[in-house]
Each structure stands twice: as structure tokens, then as C-alpha cells.
């Protein structure tokens, strides 16, 4: 019916039009039809039904091979639970949940940690987030309580600090510029996603703020680092973007069953999700998306296959690649081909053990 409407009937075309022109006409109309069809699909999105039959999903379903890495720490800096981790060449730089600040490893050996807690110059009250400026080889620490961004070299020596003009929940540094994220709408504050210069001064809006997004559930992972940009999942609209300092490119739109309705998103003082689901974590891998959706009651994991847009839902994602008698503490994104799993250690082992999952 739609095709008939767009193309009409051949006998209705003027007789003076040649066969060659008719073929060109039909080609153009078909092209317009498929553009319209794709546009409708983009608006509708890919349906993710969390109520569908659950299946066990194993790491071996999407992991090609496994290797192991030990980061040799020190008894004065015992890491218990990785919060963020980045790699740049022979450096691995991370922070943990136990107040050790930012820990620097070179060739897998502990160099030092940056734990300048305080309210004075070169100090931070808290580490809201940190990122690497790979262009300058700087560690950038953002402290929302102190309202500033501090820079340190990869060896841990202090470089400079400056006032953070805007409140952020997370940030990344791409080619010397910051991509800043505050996804919930807060009165009188910049929100959405925007670009700032190397001193944190606003440059350009990439994803505009939305006054309907008042409710905020603060989950620890907002984006995945990728070459020349970040992969960012908008938790309110369930859209996945590739974002550079210049633009935001839409990769996927998901129609999530049990997603937050507008009335919930607008209620800033809401204390629970009332059975609705919101994205907690997204791992944007080369051939897969690993999505974690959470409510007040439960979490579900979704393994999305990029090649054919099919997916599986589980409430039991199992690491069947673990060595015997070893437990998994947490998993972390390193790059689109690699996840790093933090492994449990014995009581007298101060080192940090990682299982590297090389994705199919």
C-alpha cells in the first residue's frame, strides 16, 4: 500500500516519458521509500523486552580468548575494588573504592598513588571522576566538592589546577578537549552533554538538556572510551551515541519495555524506580552490546548482537572462564575488544589480578 502510494501506477505516467526515465523514476521513489522506512524504524527503535524468556548467558558465548595480568602493588596501597581503569601504552591507571586515590602502574608495577586529600592547593576533597589526557600525558581529576579539576603527569607529579565552571557526573578527554556529562536536569545548571576546553570552560552543546529528566539514578559507568570519542548511552531516552568534541552521532535507539515513563523521569524527589528499569552499565564492544538494566528489585543483563540486532536476556550472566576456586569481584571496560575482570585474591596477596576477556 505504501509502495503503491509512493510509486503510483506505471500506466499513470505520461506517455512521453521514456523507459529509461521511468526506470530512473522508480529507482528514486524506491530510494525515498527505504529512507522513510528506516526513519520510522529509528523512531520506533529496537524493542528490548525484559519480560521475555530468560536464558543463561555465559562469558564463553561472546569471548574468543582469555589472558591474565597481575598488577604488582604495595602493602601501603592495597586496592580493594576498582572504580575506574584506563590504559595508555605501558601505563595502567586506576582508582579504587577504598580511598587510595589514583594509582599508577607502569609495566604492571606500582609507581605511586595520588591521594592528595584536603582542601588546599594541589588537593582534592573527593574524586568524582578522573580521565586521561593522552595528548598531554596528563591525569585529570575532577572534584565536585572542591569545584576544581587538577592535572598530574603520568609519574604523579602535579601540573596545575583550575576552577571547574560546571557540575559534572563524569567526563572524558579527547584530543585535549573535555566531553562533560550531567545527564539529569538540575535547575540553573548546565546539563546534557557538552564540550569544554582544557581548562573546563564551556565550548559547545552536544546533547541538549531536557527539563523532563529530573529524576537521577547515579550509576558508576556513564560511557566507554573509543578511538577519537566516547560511546555514551542516554539512560533517559535509551539511545546510544558516539560522541566526539564536535558532534553526537546516533548509533542505536532502543524501545525498552518497562522503561521509566515521563511522569517518573520528571519527579526529582522520587526515591525508587517502582518496578521500572533504567540502564546501569553499557559495554559497547566490537560485535556486541552488553547492557545492564536495573530497578529497585532486580537486575537483568542483555547481550545484543550487532550483526543481526538479536538479543538475549538473563538474570544470570555467568563467568564460566574463571580458574577453579577463583571468584570474580567486578568487570571493567578497557576497549571495544577487551573487558578486564578483577579477581579475588588470598588474604596475604597484595597484588591485583585481572582476567582479560578478548571479545569475539
Amino acid at each position: 500500500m505504501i509502495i503503491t502510494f509512493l510509486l503510483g501506477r506505471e500506466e499513470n505516467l505520461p506517455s512521453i516519458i521514456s523507459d529509461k526515465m521511468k526506470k530512473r523514476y522508480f529507482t528514486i521513489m524506491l530510494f525515498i521509500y527505504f529512507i522513510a522506512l528506516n526513519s520510522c524504524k529509528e523512531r520506533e527503535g529496537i524493542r528490548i523486552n525484559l519480560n521475555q524468556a530468560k536464558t543463561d548467558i555465559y562469558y564463553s558465548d561472546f569471548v574468543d580468548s582469555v589472558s591474565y595480568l597481575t598488577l604488582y602493588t604495595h602493602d601501603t596501597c592495597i586496592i580493594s575494588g576498582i572504580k575506574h581503569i584506563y590504559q595508555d601504552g605501558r601505563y595502567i591507571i586506576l582508582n579504587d573504592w577504598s580511598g587510595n586515590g589514583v594509582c599508577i602502574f607502569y609495566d604492571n608495577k606500582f609507581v605511586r598513588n595520588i591521594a592528595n586529600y584536603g582542601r588546599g592547593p594541589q588537593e582534592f576533597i573527593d574524586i568524582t571522576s578522573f580521565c586521561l589526557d593522552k595528548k598531554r600525558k596528563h591525569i585529570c581529576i575532577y572534584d565536585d566538592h572542591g569545584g576544581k579539576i587538577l592535572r598530574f603527569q603520568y609519574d604523579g607529579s602535579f601540573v596545575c589546577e583550575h576552577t571547574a565552571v560546571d557540575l559534572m557526573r563524569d567526563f572524558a578527554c579527547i584530543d585535549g578537549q573535555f566531553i562533560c556529562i550531567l545527564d539529569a536536569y538540575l535547575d540553573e545548571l548546565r546539563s546534557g552533554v557538552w564540550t569544554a576546553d582544557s581548562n573546563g570552560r564551556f565550548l559547545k552543546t552536544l546533547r541538549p538538556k531536557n527539563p523532563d529528566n529530573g529524576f537521577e539514578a547515579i550509576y558508576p559507568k556513564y560511557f566507554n572510551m573509543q578511538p577519537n570519542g566516547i560511546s555514551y548511552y542516554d539512560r533517559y531516552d535509551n539511545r546510544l551515541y558516539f560522541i566526539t568534541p564536535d558532534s553526537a552521532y546516533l548509533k542505536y535507539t532502543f524501545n525498552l519495555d518497562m522503561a521509566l515513563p515521563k511522569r517518573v523521569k520528571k519527579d526529582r524527589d522520587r526515591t525508587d524506580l517502582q518496578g521500572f528499569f533504567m540502564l546501569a552499565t553499557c559495554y559497547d564492544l566490537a560485535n556486541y552490546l552488553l547492557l545492564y538494566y536495573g530497578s529497585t528489585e532486580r537486575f537483568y543483563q542483555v547481550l545484543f548482537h550487532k550483526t543481526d540486532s538479536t538479543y538475549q536476556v538473563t538474570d544470570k550472566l555467568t563467568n564460566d572462564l574463571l580458574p577453579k576456586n577463583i571468584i570474580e569481584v567486578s568487570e571493567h571496560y578497557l576497549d571495544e575488544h577487551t573487558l578486564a575482570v578483577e579477581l579475588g585474591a588470598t588474604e596475604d596477596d597484595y597484588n591485583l589480578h585481572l582476567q582479560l576477556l578478548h571479545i569475539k
Side-chain angles (χ1 to χ4, degrees):
M1 181 177 178
I2 296 177
I3 296 178
T4 303
F5 174 76
L6 286 173
L7 302 183
R9 290 183 169 273
E10 185 176 353
E11 57 264 29
N12 292 333
L13 295 176
S15 58
I16 58 173
I17 298 179
S18 66
D19 290 340
K20 185 176 181 180
M21 292 179 67
K22 288 179 182 178
K23 289 180 180 178
R24 183 177 297 174
Y25 172 82
F26 284 114
T27 300
I28 293 173
M29 290 299 101
L30 279 171
F31 179 71
I32 293 173
Y33 165 71
F34 284 118
I35 288 178
L37 185 63
N38 287 333
S39 177
C40 289
K41 285 183 178 179
E42 180 181 295
R43 288 195 299 271
E44 182 180 295
I46 300 167
R47 185 186 179 194
I48 299 292
N49 180 10
L50 297 178
N51 282 323
Q52 75 175 42
K54 308 299 186 292
T55 60
D56 290 341
I57 300 178
Y58 298 94
Y59 280 24
S60 58
D61 294 336
F62 56 91
V63 173
D64 179 65
S65 61
V66 175
S67 61
Y68 293 88
L69 173 67
T70 297
L71 297 177
Y72 297 95
T73 61
H74 193 273
D75 58 4
T76 61
C77 182
I78 301 174
I79 297 169
S80 57
I82 297 173
K83 189 175 181 181
H84 296 91
I85 183 170
Y86 296 106
Q87 184 171 15
D88 186 9
R90 296 160 74 176
Y91 282 96
I92 293 179
I93 302 173
L94 58 88
N95 71 325
D96 71 355
W97 294 97
S98 60
N100 285 307
V102 174
C103 304
I104 304 166
F105 295 84
Y106 182 76
D107 282 346
N108 304 338
K109 296 181 178 61
F110 178 74
V111 176
R112 63 164 292 184
N113 62 318
I114 304 171
N116 304 358
Y117 290 99
R119 298 179 178 273
Q122 305 182 26
E123 295 179 336
F124 41 83
I125 300 171
D126 188 25
I127 300 176
T128 308
S129 180
F130 89 97
C131 66
L132 302 185
D133 182 345
K134 294 184 178 181
K135 182 177 181 179
R136 297 177 175 87
K137 303 300 179 185
H138 286 175
I139 299 166
C140 305
I141 295 176
Y142 168 58
D143 171 17
D144 67 347
H145 291 88
K148 58 185 176 180
I149 297 173
L150 303 91
R151 287 178 174 267
F152 299 84
Q153 294 181 357
Y154 279 7
D155 64 4
S157 58
F158 177 76
V159 177
C160 65
E161 67 176 58
H162 49 79
T163 301
V165 178
D166 296 302
L167 175 68
M168 302 180 287
R169 295 301 184 207
D170 211 346
F171 73 144
C173 189
I174 305 295
D175 197 25
Q177 295 184 12
F178 291 125
I179 296 175
C180 310
I181 300 170
L182 176 58
D183 53 354
Y185 176 80
L186 301 178
D187 292 337
E188 309 300 327
L189 296 176
R190 196 184 311 280
S191 60
V193 183
W194 66 94
T195 303
D197 65 15
S198 59
N199 291 319
R201 293 185 294 255
F202 171 80
L203 291 175
K204 179 181 180 181
T205 297
L206 300 172
R207 288 287 300 142
K209 62 184 178 182
N210 186 342
D212 289 337
N213 299 339
F215 169 75
E216 183 178 22
I218 301 178
Y219 290 108
K221 298 181 177 68
Y222 284 82
F223 64 85
N224 299 159
M225 290 294 302
Q226 295 192 342
N228 306 314
I230 65 171
S231 175
Y232 167 72
Y233 190 111
D234 187 320
R235 292 171 166 142
Y236 294 89
D237 293 333
N238 289 297
R239 293 185 174 189
L240 182 68
Y241 293 90
F242 177 69
I243 295 182
T244 73
D246 297 316
S247 62
Y249 166 73
L250 179 63
K251 297 175 68 174
Y252 293 99
T253 299
F254 294 106
N255 180 9
L256 177 67
D257 286 3
M258 303 163 70
L260 298 183
K262 186 175 181 179
R263 63 179 176 81
V264 175
K265 292 189 288 187
K266 286 179 69 70
D267 188 349
R268 183 168 302 161
D269 298 323
R270 188 171 295 277
T271 58
D272 61 71
L273 301 183
Q274 295 189 345
F276 300 112
F277 283 80
M278 192 177 196
L279 182 96
T281 301
C282 171
Y283 297 128
D284 188 357
L285 305 167
N287 296 314
Y288 303 91
L289 292 174
L290 189 55
L291 307 164
Y292 292 66
Y293 293 103
S295 72
T296 54
E297 300 172 350
R298 60 181 60 90
F299 274 82
Y300 291 126
Q301 295 86 40
V302 174
L303 181 64
F304 179 82
H305 303 252
K306 291 183 178 180
T307 52
D308 57 9
S309 295
T310 60
Y311 67 92
Q312 303 159 261
V313 179
T314 189
D315 54 6
K316 186 181 178 182
L317 179 62
T318 302
N319 187 347
D320 57 333
L321 303 173
L322 282 174
K324 189 177 181 179
N325 299 324
I326 298 296
I327 63 170
E328 174 180 331
V329 177
S330 59
E331 85 290 324
H332 304 273
Y333 179 95
L334 279 185
D335 58 50
E336 61 181 344
H337 302 288
T338 316
L339 292 179
V341 176
E342 181 184 354
L343 303 178
T346 59
E347 186 174 345
D348 58 348
D349 186 357
Y350 301 124
N351 298 321
L352 185 63
H353 302 280
L354 301 176
Q355 180 190 50
L356 302 183
L357 305 177
H358 307 286
I359 311 301
K360 293 178 180 177

